[in-house]
Amino acid sequence: MTYPIVETGENVTRQVLADAPELMTVAFRFAAKGATGALHQHPHVQSTFVQSGRFRFTIADHDFEVGPGDAFVIPSNAVHGCVCLEPGTLIDGFTPRRDDFL
């Protein structure tokens, strides 16, 4: 199944790649420096893999930069977001599935 590409903000898109009730994989594409993934939180545990580009992430009160090949986990309900430093793609896994993305 092919899922639609959804605009989530200026120069940011989201596309579900695969899903099951207990897991979802999603590509977030950032087309320009300065594009943001706004601060937010959700009950899902999230893993993030940087496929390409560079990003500055905030998780709770911790700021850090990541680049291609980096990966990390965001705990359930942690406030988090990012700013794109170089255009690229993040591959996120969510458990359980984000039904709000379908």
Side-chain angles (χ1 to χ4, degrees):
M1 174 174 200
T2 300
Y3 296 89
I5 296 171
V6 177
E7 289 188 33
T8 61
E10 189 173 343
N11 292 308
V12 182
T13 62
R14 169 185 82 219
Q15 184 177 27
V16 173
L17 302 176
D19 78 289
E22 57 281 337
L23 180 66
M24 176 179 271
T25 305
V26 181
F28 286 89
R29 295 178 178 94
F30 292 75
K33 180 179 179 178
T36 61
L39 286 174
H40 64 287
Q41 66 186 87
H42 45 73
H44 312 82
V45 174
Q46 175 179 333
S47 66
T48 296
F49 171 74
V50 183
Q51 184 178 49
S52 61
R54 292 203 61 77
F55 300 86
R56 184 174 57 252
F57 267 84
T58 299
I59 301 176
D61 293 328
H62 179 63
D63 295 331
F64 58 98
E65 288 188 18
V66 293
D70 289 335
F72 54 94
V73 171
I74 301 169
S76 175
N77 292 312
V79 175
H80 61 283
C82 69
V83 175
C84 178
L85 303 176
E86 295 175 13
T89 300
L90 302 173
I91 305 297
D92 289 349
F94 296 95
T95 185
R97 171 178 61 202
R98 293 280 308 253
D99 288 336
D100 56 322
F101 285 3
L102 296 176

